[in-house]
Amino acid sequence: SVGAMDIVTFGPPHTVPDIYKDRNLHAHNPMITIMRTNKEENVRLGQRLASKLNLSRGGAVLLLPLKGVSAMDQEGEPFYGPEEDQALFDALKQNVDINRVPIIEMENHINDEVFGEAAAVILMEMIAAMMIKQ
């Protein structure tokens, strides 16, 4: 899936490069500063992830949590960004070879129990299928 693809991690605030000083930054703790990815970055991230997924020789599925990709990326949180997330999802859907890697979109947040359960069921089914082939 795409967990935490909305976050770039830096060290303490003084380590954030000047070019990012005006971005959506959050002091996670005194040693970690995180930055929200923007739409352009998410397009590039989606393209890069798609290229890696397309190398799969089987046994890959991409689950997209359409209501947010991290704890910080949900309504009411500092990194809530449906447009930024949509840019990531669109780039993935445009670039993933769905004949090689099926995409499952879920109307859930990545931290929703139902999303985690679905991911676990899919993983168990894939493992069982691999065991049968052996």
Side-chain angles (χ1 to χ4, degrees), residues 6-8 52-53 88 133:
D6 60 322
I7 295 171
V8 177
K52 291 177 183 289
L53 287 168
L88 172 65
K133 288 181 183 179

Side-chain angles (χ1 to χ4, degrees), residues 3-53:
M5 290 191 77
D6 60 322
I7 295 171
V8 177
T9 304
F10 298 103
H14 72 274
T15 67
V16 176
D18 288 340
I19 61 171
Y20 300 124
K21 296 285 186 186
D22 294 328
R23 297 282 298 275
N24 184 358
L25 300 170
H26 176 77
H28 182 65
N29 64 44
M31 299 304 295
I32 298 175
T33 306
I34 55 178
M35 178 183 79
R36 176 58 157 111
T37 53
N38 63 30
K39 288 192 277 188
E40 294 77 21
E41 291 160 342
N42 282 354
V43 168
R44 290 194 309 268
L45 286 167
Q47 292 167 339
R48 177 169 278 192
L49 179 56
S51 70
K52 291 177 183 289
L53 287 168

Side-chain angles (χ1 to χ4, degrees), residues 4 16 26-28 31 37 43 50-51 55 67 79 81 85 95-96 104 106 109 117 121-122 132-134:
V16 176
H26 176 77
H28 182 65
M31 299 304 295
T37 53
V43 168
S51 70
L55 297 174
K67 292 192 176 180
F79 286 2
D85 292 346
N95 291 282
V96 168
I104 299 173
M106 295 185 65
H109 184 271
E117 288 174 354
V121 166
I122 291 167
I132 291 169
K133 288 181 183 179
Q134 293 181 353

